[in-house]
Amino acid sequence: MAEIRLENVWKVFGKVVAVRDVTLTIEDGEFLVLLGPSGCGKTTTLRCIAGLERVDGGRVFIGDRDVTELPPGKRDIGMVFQSYAVFPHMRVFDNIAFGLKMKRVPRAEIRRRVQNVAEMLGIEELLKRYPAQLSGGQRQRVAVARAIVLEPQVLLMDEPLSNLDALIRLQVRAELKRLHKQIGSTTVYVTHDQVEALSLGDRIAVMKDGEIVQVDDPTTVYEHPADVFVGGFIGNPPMNFLPGELVAPKKDGFLVLKAAGHEIPLPETLSRALKEHVGRPVTVGIRAEHIEVLPKPEGDALPAQVLVVEPLGSHLLLTLDVGGQTLKVMVDTDLQVEPNREVGLRFDPAKLRFMDRETGKALLP
Amino acid sequence: MATVDTPVEARRPRPLRQRLLGTDTLLPYWLLLPSVLYLVLFFVIPLSQAIVVAFQDPDTGAWTLKNFSDLLRWDYKFKPALKWTFLLAVTIVPLQLVTALLVALLVNTRFRGSQLFLYICAIPLGLSDLAAGLIWYGIFADRGFLNSLLYALGLIERPVTILSYTQIDWLFGAVVVAEHWRATAIVLVVLVAGLQMISKDYLESAEVLGANRWQRLWYVILPLLRPSLQAALIIRTIFAFEIFAVVIALAGDFLPVLAERAYTWYFFRQNLQFASVYAVIILAISLIFTVLYLVFLRVREEERR
């Protein structure tokens, strides 16, 4: 077991900067998810840790060893590829035993360790089969078994679930989480699927254009995105964003948010924290489930018009128009709404996320 | 006045293509026809005629093995021809395989200009074997390029005779060199194509699991390359047993080989029977090797990707 440290890592392909000055510490035993859209550099970052790419700048540490110049085979890592890369010409047993064989582990021990890992993953019945005789889920388990049989300090996984059917994916996802608790090796997991990231990660590192935008635990990444990109990338539906402005009223010291043609008074703590940003154009973010919908516009509720109603089974997804801006709102199925109806919106201003309109960066941590 | 309309579809005449060629399901067979005709006309018919001639008594027309026993008795060059053909094949084919594999691995590293390099390596593919033999004759002859070069470098004082019936080992070596130069490219092209089919994930996976260069070659690349190795070996071995023009150009009949014997019996001695017997022997050897390759290098269904 060991921590992984990336210090100012760069990787450039021709004119494209795949990884830009990434510094990241992954703690011993942690499950860290690298999340981002395709082309953001997450897989390249993983391959730099694996040693499959030589870094163009910076250093990579595993434990207290500087592994920057070491080949993959000497870094004490296990890796699961997106394609699984299970050798088609070897039986499952020989696939799992491959790494041990390369390290010239005695035969009896190989048999014992392969048997153990196969039992741990529930594939001991498949040891004599060839990969072509396995289902996708079984092949994926063989790939995992082959990686962990060497008891590596670090386990690297590159989109290991993306080739599985939706149903099996759910099941394997839970198994991976259990497996990580069981073997406890430091794990780096690459995915573009934000649900996977939220469900698996102890922490999530969100990447964009080769840079890490935010590293936090799943709740923080979800509730307090560091910028508009993270808020828009994570969550289904993504966070709502409205252009707005912070103004200081005449009477009390509290601030008012002007957005979507309305004025929303902010509570004391928020007002104090945002005081220095008065007068600045902001982008306000709010999650779909943090907005309460009243059947009628009443009292201080914001009036809105229902545009679309999409039943999602457990919830209804509403598309609303508020002062010319579109909002996605998640409500319980028992709410009686239909398109064109006027409704009222209420929300806790503390759930609002304030971002600078120009840079997109969050104004508050 | 209600008339029953025929559906518009049925009234429209079938397209010309369909009327000429039948339905779409027949189309593939029409497309195969030219090559099938070619094969029947120039391979199947002559081949069956040769087999018939080889096993028939020329006078009575009865089925017999007499032609074979006569050949063994009369053609004192049969055994040398068999020996040299085998020796050439078992020397040239493995040599070509190793060279082609090394060059293919080099090309597959995708170094700058590797495509150009591959094309240059493939140039001899475009030459007829007789032309290739003559090129090497020009190199190995007494006043050839090799002697000129060695003389210009001051390494020799007078031309060295390489191609002479008194030194059959040298003739053999010259043929090996020329064949190696001429026909390795076909193996190379097949192996490069095979290597490009191997996903780099397998190699990286093996690398992460601690396999070094040799282990990756031995445990991953070669087994996955088996179908290509099989194809290349079959092609090359069959052609190796048919070796002819390069030998004629460099060694005449001082280095007897099976195809040369068939040629000699047919054209110079007008003996159709013996020529056919040689053809049948070459065919039998090629068949045996093809079957051996198919059996020993086969990729079982469950091992496929």
Side-chain angles (χ1 to χ4, degrees):
Chain A
M1 309 302 112
E3 71 164 29
I4 304 168
R5 219 148 23 93
L6 301 178
E7 288 182 0
N8 307 99
V9 168
W10 287 78
K11 180 69 199 176
V12 184
F13 296 110
K15 284 182 182 162
V16 183
V17 181
V19 179
R20 186 187 297 271
D21 199 22
V22 163
T23 296
L24 176 66
T25 303
I26 302 153
E27 283 157 34
D28 182 9
E30 187 180 14
F31 196 122
L32 181 109
V33 177
L34 283 173
L35 175 68
S38 61
C40 72
K42 55 193 192 300
T43 294
T44 309
T45 305
L46 189 81
R47 291 169 60 83
C48 287
I49 300 174
L52 293 170
E53 303 290 354
R54 280 182 71 93
V55 300
D56 293 317
R59 311 221 62 88
V60 180
F61 296 87
I62 294 177
D64 355 301
R65 289 187 306 152
D66 181 345
V67 298
T68 316
E69 304 299 327
L70 287 183
K74 298 226 161 83
R75 293 193 177 194
D76 200 0
I77 54 171
M79 184 156 172
V80 179
F81 289 75
Q82 182 172 13
S83 65
Y84 314 142
V86 174
F87 304 128
H89 58 290
M90 294 181 197
R91 292 173 194 275
V92 170
F93 180 93
D94 296 307
N95 259 291
I96 302 176
F98 189 82
L100 297 167
K101 213 162 132 192
M102 295 304 111
K103 293 196 163 52
R104 305 199 188 289
V105 174
R107 221 170 247 221
E109 196 188 333
I110 291 183
R111 197 162 306 143
R112 188 179 55 75
R113 284 171 69 173
V114 171
Q115 194 64 38
N116 277 349
V117 179
E119 275 167 31
M120 197 193 291
L121 287 157
I123 50 173
E124 66 266 42
E125 305 292 323
L126 309 175
L127 288 175
K128 289 208 173 93
R129 297 230 197 135
Y130 281 96
Q133 300 167 307
L134 305 180
S135 70
Q138 290 169 329
R139 246 178 271 178
Q140 202 266 356
R141 259 172 267 194
V142 174
V144 172
R146 189 174 66 176
I148 64 174
V149 75
L150 292 167
E151 293 165 13
Q153 292 191 316
V154 167
L155 189 57
L156 307 175
M157 299 200 221
D158 186 6
E159 310 229 7
L161 304 184
S162 60
N163 287 345
L164 297 177
D165 298 340
L167 254 166
I168 305 191
R169 198 180 305 170
L170 273 183
Q171 182 193 338
V172 178
R173 196 171 80 196
E175 278 173 26
L176 283 181
K177 192 155 188 171
R178 174 185 62 83
L179 190 74
H180 174 251
K181 293 275 174 295
Q182 198 173 344
I183 61 175
S185 56
T186 313
T187 302
V188 185
Y189 183 106
V190 163
T191 183
H192 64 268
D193 182 334
Q194 37 105 10
V195 182
E196 247 169 57
L198 292 169
S199 74
L200 284 170
D202 292 327
R203 281 192 306 158
I204 298 173
V206 186
M207 290 190 73
K208 186 197 174 196
D209 299 335
E211 288 177 287
I212 291 184
V213 188
Q214 183 174 14
V215 192
D216 270 311
D217 63 88
T219 319
T220 311
V221 171
Y222 186 80
E223 299 284 355
H224 303 282
D227 64 9
V228 173
F229 167 75
V230 177
F233 187 72
I234 294 181
N236 185 20
M239 196 173 230
N240 292 298
F241 294 107
L242 301 174
E245 200 183 343
L246 287 171
V247 290
K250 298 137 212 160
K251 297 169 271 171
D252 47 21
F254 295 175
L255 302 186
V256 167
L257 169 67
K258 275 186 166 174
H262 297 279
E263 298 203 345
I264 301 146
L266 301 181
E268 188 182 355
T269 43
L270 208 52
S271 295
R272 211 172 296 144
L274 288 166
K275 204 152 48 185
E276 52 181 303
H277 302 293
V278 167
R280 184 183 289 189
V282 294
T283 298
V284 192
I286 185 158
R287 289 275 175 208
E289 65 275 22
H290 288 156
I291 300 173
E292 191 191 348
V293 176
L294 309 172
K296 268 185 236 135
E298 52 186 338
D300 57 345
L302 290 182
Q305 191 182 20
V306 179
L307 296 176
V308 184
V309 181
E310 296 171 77
L312 300 180
S314 60
H315 288 89
L316 292 180
L317 178 62
L318 307 183
T319 307
L320 305 172
D321 179 283
V322 189
Q325 301 289 328
T326 307
L327 278 186
K328 295 272 187 191
V329 182
M330 203 73 105
V331 293
D332 284 338
T333 47
D334 49 14
L335 186 77
Q336 295 293 319
V337 281
E338 60 281 333
N340 294 326
R341 183 176 176 144
E342 292 291 329
V343 293
L345 303 183
R346 212 182 283 169
F347 52 87
D348 178 1
K351 296 286 190 188
L352 293 174
R353 214 44 201 149
F354 293 89
M355 282 100 165
D356 186 290
R357 181 115 41 98
E358 259 169 42
T359 62
K361 299 260 181 249
L363 298 176
L364 302 175
Chain B
M1 277 252 292
T3 55
V4 181
D5 275 327
T6 357
V8 180
E9 278 299 313
R11 268 185 290 153
R12 192 185 298 156
R14 291 198 303 156
L16 182 68
R17 183 175 57 87
Q18 270 192 23
R19 272 179 295 154
L20 285 181
L21 301 180
T23 58
D24 284 349
T25 47
L26 280 178
L27 186 62
Y29 297 98
W30 282 107
L31 294 175
L32 277 177
L33 194 64
S35 50
V36 170
L37 274 180
Y38 174 83
L39 284 174
V40 169
L41 211 58
F42 293 104
F43 287 93
V44 179
I45 292 176
L47 188 70
S48 16
Q49 280 178 345
I51 293 175
V52 168
V53 169
F55 287 99
Q56 263 183 355
D57 188 303
D59 304 321
T60 64
W63 297 107
T64 174
L65 286 175
K66 182 168 156 296
N67 295 327
F68 286 79
S69 52
D70 281 356
L71 182 102
L72 276 177
R73 194 172 324 141
W74 298 113
D75 187 356
Y76 70 99
K77 279 194 173 173
F78 168 70
K79 279 178 186 161
L82 193 64
K83 180 185 90 174
W84 288 118
T85 308
F86 260 93
L87 278 178
L88 281 170
V90 301
T91 311
I92 291 167
V93 175
L95 213 57
Q96 287 179 325
L97 194 67
V98 172
T99 312
L101 185 62
L102 290 177
V103 179
L105 289 170
L106 183 68
V107 169
N108 205 41
T109 59
R110 315 267 165 93
F111 63 89
R112 244 168 187 283
S114 60
Q115 283 302 309
L116 184 69
F117 178 68
L118 180 62
Y119 292 139
I120 293 173
C121 287
I123 286 177
L125 272 182
L127 288 179
S128 88
D129 44 358
L130 185 58
L134 291 174
I135 289 175
W136 283 92
Y137 182 79
I139 293 173
F140 287 135
D142 286 1
R143 306 223 168 263
F145 293 116
L146 183 61
N147 272 317
S148 308
L149 180 70
L150 293 177
Y151 184 77
L153 291 173
L155 293 171
I156 51 172
E157 285 173 6
R158 66 181 67 82
V160 178
T161 298
I162 299 166
L163 303 173
S164 155
Y165 69 95
T166 56
Q167 339 177 51
I168 202 157
D169 296 347
W170 287 64
L171 289 177
F172 180 83
V175 171
V176 168
V177 170
E179 267 297 281
H180 189 250
W181 175 83
R182 182 188 73 82
T184 301
I186 184 71
V187 186
L188 174 66
V189 170
V190 173
L191 293 188
V192 167
L195 280 178
Q196 284 173 351
M197 301 249 301
I198 299 177
S199 153
K200 74 173 173 40
D201 282 3
Y202 293 130
L203 300 174
E204 292 187 339
S205 188
E207 201 179 346
V208 171
L209 290 166
N212 62 31
R213 231 167 252 277
W214 285 110
Q215 288 169 322
R216 291 202 294 274
L217 178 66
W218 187 252
Y219 292 109
V220 184
I221 296 177
L222 286 181
L224 291 177
L225 201 55
R226 238 178 334 174
S228 305
L229 289 170
Q230 190 183 49
L233 275 173
I234 289 175
I235 295 171
R236 263 318 296 152
T237 309
I238 289 175
F239 285 127
F241 282 111
E242 290 172 6
I243 189 169
F244 176 63
V246 170
V247 176
I248 290 291
L250 287 172
D253 60 354
F254 296 119
L255 190 70
V257 287
L258 293 174
E260 170 268 319
R261 296 312 298 153
Y263 171 77
T264 304
W265 280 111
Y266 187 78
F267 279 103
F268 298 130
R269 315 271 174 84
Q270 311 278 315
N271 189 328
L272 194 57
Q273 280 68 38
F274 281 8
S276 299
V277 167
Y278 271 111
V280 167
I281 290 172
I282 295 172
L283 176 70
I285 295 172
S286 299
L287 259 178
I288 289 169
F289 272 87
T290 304
V291 170
L292 287 179
Y293 286 139
L294 287 177
V295 170
F296 285 106
L297 287 171
R298 83 173 186 284
V299 179
R300 276 175 293 181
E301 196 56 49
E302 62 265 29
E303 289 180 68
R304 286 179 208 279
R305 273 162 275 178

